Amino acid sequence: MPIFEFQCEECGEVFEELVLGNKIDGVKCKKCKGSKVHKLISQVAFKAGGKFVSSSGSSCGSCSGGTCSSCK
Ligand SMILES: [Zn+2]
């Protein structure tokens, strides 16, 4: 189910809303009923995008990974 997190630009309220067909135009603040809301990036997507995967073991420091004589 496409549930997104929104923040109201009027009062700053953060709330979750079920959105069907990407129709975020009809989303209104649950606190002040304001229509000036914007979609927040979900925490899951933020964590996955910011994750840096570092490889270890094959690189010796003088090459990009297992291609020089000191790696073998
Ligand atoms: Zn509001």
Side-chain angles (χ1 to χ4, degrees), residues 58-71:
S58 60
S59 177
C60 67
S62 63
C63 69
S64 59
T67 55
C68 73
S69 60
S70 60
C71 290

Side-chain angles (χ1 to χ4, degrees), residues 45-67:
F46 179 78
K47 282 178 183 172
K51 187 180 180 183
F52 178 73
V53 179
S54 61
S55 61
S56 62
S58 60
S59 177
C60 67
S62 63
C63 69
S64 59
T67 55

Side-chain angles (χ1 to χ4, degrees), residues 8 11 29 32:
C8 175
C11 68
C29 175
C32 71

Side-chain angles (χ1 to χ4, degrees), residues 8-13 15 29-34 37:
C8 175
E9 294 181 9
E10 305 276 346
C11 68
E13 177 79 357
F15 58 95
C29 175
K30 296 193 174 181
K31 192 175 182 181
C32 71
K33 310 293 184 191
V37 299

Side-chain angles (χ1 to χ4, degrees), residues 16-48:
E16 290 179 342
E17 185 74 41
L18 174 68
V19 178
L20 296 173
N22 275 341
K23 291 183 178 179
I24 67 169
D25 292 345
V27 177
K28 287 181 177 162
C29 175
K30 296 193 174 181
K31 192 175 182 181
C32 71
K33 310 293 184 191
S35 57
K36 285 187 178 179
V37 299
H38 61 265
K39 192 167 72 173
L40 296 176
I41 301 172
S42 72
Q43 280 192 314
V44 176
F46 179 78
K47 282 178 183 172

